[in-house]
Amino acid sequence: MKTILKTSVFVAGLILLSSPFISCDNNEIKKDTIAIADNNISVNNETAIAIVARKPIVFIAGFDKGNENFYSNARTYFQEKGVKVIDGQYSLEEIIVWLNKNANKHPYGDVHIVNKSNPYKGMNLETVVRGDKITTETLKRSISKGTLPTLKDVVNNNTKIVFHASGLVENAPLLETLKSALSAKKLPKVIASPYYTVFGGKFSNYYLAQPYYVFYPTANSPGKIDLSKEIARKYPEEKDINWYDALNNEEERYVGEAYTKQFSIPVKWEFGYHNTDDEMPIFNSQEEVMDWIEQNEELMVEMNAHNIPLEKYRWNWSVKNSTLVIRGRTSGLVVLKPLIKPYGDLEHIEPDTNNKRLYAMK
């Protein structure tokens, strides 16, 4: 059966480093001081070497649609911090080309990449211009084919490439592949947070939140009571959230209050039966569609990558000439619990890329 699938100074001595999350200095570069003890002389005779790095920059790697404001809020946040904003680079290829083209004798310091994503829908960043959205497979394919450019000698071991992309850390293979794609003679640190990224909040312009997910077939919600029971069973360790209240709350009304956002994930496949001896299946129910999908190993590999059960999708099918089209859509609810300080005033924890509890480093 012919199947066409389309979806969505290594040094001797003591090293002292200081690297803040965002530098607001108006100079073009920032300096990190390293003290080096020469092995050939007294340990007390130390030479100070200034390692010069460029100011932080941020790529707003996407654009808002409709009433969305994720990217505009991120842009405002970084502009208020005095960080240079680069727009219009919507693929990893364009970001790498920009970094290479705008290089000077100083290595990049902190490079921020803002991209709206979640662990189920994946990244909204293209591999190459007008290419596939980034997944582990598409990125590996671009690297192996040589279609993705490589970073020149524009970074060093102190460079931090920070992805502000929700759920990226949960996809360890993808994060490792991104590290390979952004490798250079000196390897930069590739960083992302395991928490949900929120820009433009009511109480903070930027904060992190712990996400909790629940799904149902689009247009077939079982209701908030049943969904609250299901999400409670899924996350039994979370005792502080009233799930029913959180699912009915669309915004953070006071600092730290849990609230819910909604999204959907579509699936579409087309199967051509024009030049084949295989018989086109005839479906009479969604259950028959799901049974047929389960018998197709290739389709199940794709569905397992989403990690959402088949029954959480609403399935429909249609036939046009000799082509069978199968569509599925699931609605997702993500309950967000903002991270707040455990002591002192009731405030969000400030995102700090040096904090290993907030950001994973590869």
Side-chain angles (χ1 to χ4, degrees):
M1 175 180 69
K2 181 179 179 182
T3 302
I4 303 175
L5 299 181
K6 294 290 183 184
T7 40
S8 25
V9 161
F10 170 0
V11 298
L14 175 65
I15 299 179
L16 302 175
L17 297 178
S18 176
S19 179
F21 168 53
I22 299 289
S23 173
C24 300
D25 189 3
N26 290 325
N27 296 325
E28 183 179 354
I29 57 178
K30 66 178 183 179
K31 295 183 179 181
D32 296 333
T33 300
I34 294 184
I36 303 177
D38 190 337
N39 285 342
N40 297 320
I41 59 178
S42 171
V43 174
N44 294 325
N45 294 329
E46 296 184 346
T47 302
I49 295 179
I51 290 188
V52 180
R54 298 174 64 172
K55 285 178 59 180
I57 60 174
V58 58
F59 292 91
I60 305 298
F63 52 89
D64 294 317
K65 298 179 182 179
N67 295 324
E68 296 175 344
N69 53 18
F70 176 81
Y71 292 108
S72 61
N73 287 337
R75 182 181 295 104
T76 299
Y77 169 79
F78 283 104
Q79 286 175 336
E80 291 176 349
K81 291 291 184 179
V83 178
K84 180 176 180 178
V85 175
I86 297 97
D87 286 305
Q89 315 301 306
Y90 305 132
S91 69
L92 192 57
E93 174 190 11
E94 291 169 298
I95 291 173
I96 292 174
V97 168
W98 193 98
L99 291 172
N100 289 336
K101 183 179 179 180
N102 292 274
N104 59 31
K105 65 179 181 180
H106 304 291
Y108 287 103
D110 290 354
V111 177
H112 300 272
I113 300 174
V114 176
N115 187 249
K116 191 175 184 179
S117 63
N118 72 43
Y120 298 95
K121 297 185 70 172
M123 298 190 72
N124 200 31
L125 185 68
E126 296 174 343
T127 50
V128 297
V129 178
R130 299 188 184 281
D132 295 324
K133 300 295 185 182
I134 286 183
T135 66
T136 305
E137 293 73 23
T138 59
L139 190 53
K140 283 183 177 179
R141 187 160 57 244
S142 293
I143 294 172
S144 62
K145 288 183 177 180
T147 57
L148 189 70
T150 58
L151 277 176
K152 297 179 181 179
D153 192 17
V154 299
V155 297
N156 65 11
N157 301 128
N158 293 324
T159 300
K160 289 193 297 186
I161 300 178
V162 186
F163 281 93
H164 300 272
S166 302
L168 182 55
V169 170
E170 296 180 42
N171 192 335
L174 176 54
L175 194 56
E176 284 294 335
T177 307
L178 283 168
K179 179 182 176 182
S180 298
L182 295 167
S183 62
K185 184 177 180 180
K186 294 181 178 179
L187 297 177
K189 300 177 179 68
V190 178
I191 298 171
S193 177
Y195 298 104
Y196 199 95
T197 298
V198 182
F199 287 106
K202 184 177 181 180
F203 304 102
S204 301
N205 290 332
Y206 173 39
Y207 64 92
L208 302 173
Q210 176 68 56
Y212 305 90
Y213 296 91
V214 66
F215 296 89
Y216 62 88
T218 298
N220 285 291
S221 172
K224 297 296 177 61
I225 293 178
D226 286 345
L227 287 171
S228 65
K229 292 177 180 179
E230 180 177 345
I231 198 170
R233 290 192 298 269
K234 187 176 180 180
Y235 301 102
E237 72 285 354
E238 177 54 67
K239 305 295 185 182
D240 296 333
I241 297 177
N242 182 311
W243 295 111
Y244 180 78
D245 289 348
L247 289 173
N248 284 282
N249 184 23
E250 296 181 355
E251 65 177 355
E252 186 185 17
R253 295 171 298 184
Y254 59 86
V255 176
E257 183 186 27
Y259 63 99
T260 299
K261 287 183 172 292
Q262 185 170 350
F263 61 94
S264 64
I265 300 177
V267 174
K268 180 182 178 181
W269 297 303
E270 294 185 1
F271 305 92
Y273 288 87
H274 182 61
N275 295 315
T276 178
D277 293 331
D278 294 332
E279 184 177 350
M280 181 184 296
I282 298 176
F283 303 123
N284 295 304
S285 67
Q286 291 194 63
E287 288 72 19
E288 291 181 358
V289 175
M290 288 187 284
D291 289 341
W292 188 80
I293 293 172
E294 287 179 332
Q295 296 172 19
N296 189 307
E297 183 177 351
E298 190 174 358
L299 299 184
M300 284 308 298
V301 168
E302 181 178 341
M303 294 306 299
N304 289 336
H306 288 298
N307 197 29
I308 303 172
L310 291 176
E311 60 269 19
K312 294 298 183 179
Y313 289 80
R314 181 184 182 185
W315 297 101
N316 61 68
W317 61 96
S318 62
V319 177
K320 185 175 181 180
N321 298 325
S322 58
T323 300
L324 169 65
V325 180
I326 296 179
R327 293 180 175 88
R329 182 177 290 271
T330 182
S331 292
L333 298 175
V334 53
V335 175
L336 298 176
K337 181 184 179 183
L339 302 187
I340 59 174
K341 294 181 178 180
Y343 52 83
D345 294 335
L346 186 61
E347 297 176 340
H348 292 138
I349 294 176
E350 183 179 356
D352 179 1
T353 58
N354 293 313
N355 189 333
K356 293 182 179 180
R357 295 186 183 277
L358 301 181
Y359 290 85
M361 189 176 301
K362 294 292 182 179

